[in-house]
Amino acid sequence: MLLTPGPTAMPPSVREAMSEELINPDVDPRFADRYDAVLDKLGTVFGTDDEVVVMGGEGILGLEAAVASTVAPGDRVLCLSNGPYGDGFTDFVESYGGESTLVDADYDDSLPLADLERTLAGGEYDVATMVHCETPTGTLNELSPALDLFDEHDVLTVVDAVSSLGGTPVPTDRIDICLGASQKCFSAPPGLAIASVSAAAWERIEDRDPASLYTNLLPWHGAEQPYPYTHLTTLVVALDEALDLLLGEGLDAVYDRHQEVAAHCRARGRDLGLEPYPGPERSSPTVTAFSVPGRATELQDRLREDHDVTLSTGFGDLAADVLRVGHMGYNADLDRVERAMDALAAER
Ligand SMILES: Cc1ncc(COP(=O)(O)O)c(C=O)c1O
């Protein structure tokens, strides 16, 4: 039983959708219609009228494309961070010639707003990056105060909402480029990078005329030819089915289900003496990272071998100390999480 924080297990109907006969996305109008429908449904999940694009490639492609398309050599980018993905934006920025300024906090802390305010007062920035749910630490960041500051200072915002979109509300309408991925809360297969792009972001991208090729968002802009390369038809069909399930249930019901399952997971953890790594008030409804100092790999192995339950450890500095239960999408399910926690109780 796969209960990692992405890829998640997939609902049976999404798996079945993948066995539909293949159509050629470049010549068969049925694919274009389906793709348009997927974009409309994603607009509803994002809660925005901004243009949405779905690129063939996993989540990282979206992060890199957002930076490659908005950052030219010499551009100043503020990377706000309290986790590995927030820190990692500096690598993208530097690799496209931008000047990155990292404003960071400890991984178990909240976003450093006082430092952010000071840094913005001390210099001009073109673009800001940040992460909504830091999946490796199980932290959901409150974005509004940072977005207020970026608004005040007229900075274009890029937000990684890869592991929150579709599982908890994301303030997409306040974000210029908001990023998601198919294999997290949508419970579709990995392979599609999703982005909503504001008019201001398109303006900047057109101005920049990005030199990058495959990571350039510009060829995806506009209704005439919405996908410039052969699309990953089977994955789009699977995402379409996943979106039908999500919207059929209703976004509010989906968000409530994530909250309920997350609360249950943490209550079971507390009974076992396990606390969420960033503290309960900062933990994401989509993933719980339990602190298990020095025992993460051993517990992960025993759960997989003896109970057929696959969880994730942390990574980087947290690899040995954190065990993560992904309760997102199809896995935001009381029975599935109960089974994982029963297994953990047996091995604790
Ligand atoms: C917050 C966050 N951003 C980006 C990614 C990258 O997505 P992918 O692994 O699909 O490239 C992940 C994947 O786990 C993630 O958790």
Side-chain angles (χ1 to χ4, degrees), residues 5-6 60 63 79-90 92 102-112 129-143 158-165 168 170 179 184-185 266 276-279 282-290 312-318 322-328:
I60 284 289
L63 273 59
C79 301
L80 184 64
S81 174
N82 58 348
Y85 282 100
D87 291 352
F89 266 116
T90 60
F92 292 125
L102 179 67
V103 178
D104 63 338
D106 289 342
Y107 285 3
D108 58 353
D109 212 341
S110 50
L111 290 173
T129 64
M130 71 207 98
V131 178
H132 192 206
C133 174
E134 272 287 0
T135 332
T137 63
T139 301
L140 187 77
N141 284 316
E142 167 65 80
L143 295 181
V158 173
V159 171
D160 172 347
V162 162
S163 61
S164 54
L165 184 70
T168 195
V170 180
L179 302 160
K184 302 284 186 182
C185 303
R266 284 159 208 161
Y277 168 77
R282 276 195 286 281
S283 290
S284 173
T286 57
V287 49
T288 298
F290 285 119
S312 291
T313 61
F315 62 72
D317 290 348
L318 291 177
V322 153
L323 191 65
R324 293 181 296 153
V325 183
H327 34 73
M328 58 179 73

Side-chain angles (χ1 to χ4, degrees), residues 13-35:
S13 65
V14 174
R15 288 157 52 191
E16 279 157 25
M18 294 185 73
S19 64
E20 268 187 28
E21 193 172 352
L22 191 75
I23 55 176
N24 185 325
D26 299 324
V27 303
D28 192 326
R30 284 176 301 167
F31 182 77
D33 291 347
R34 193 140 199 187
Y35 184 71

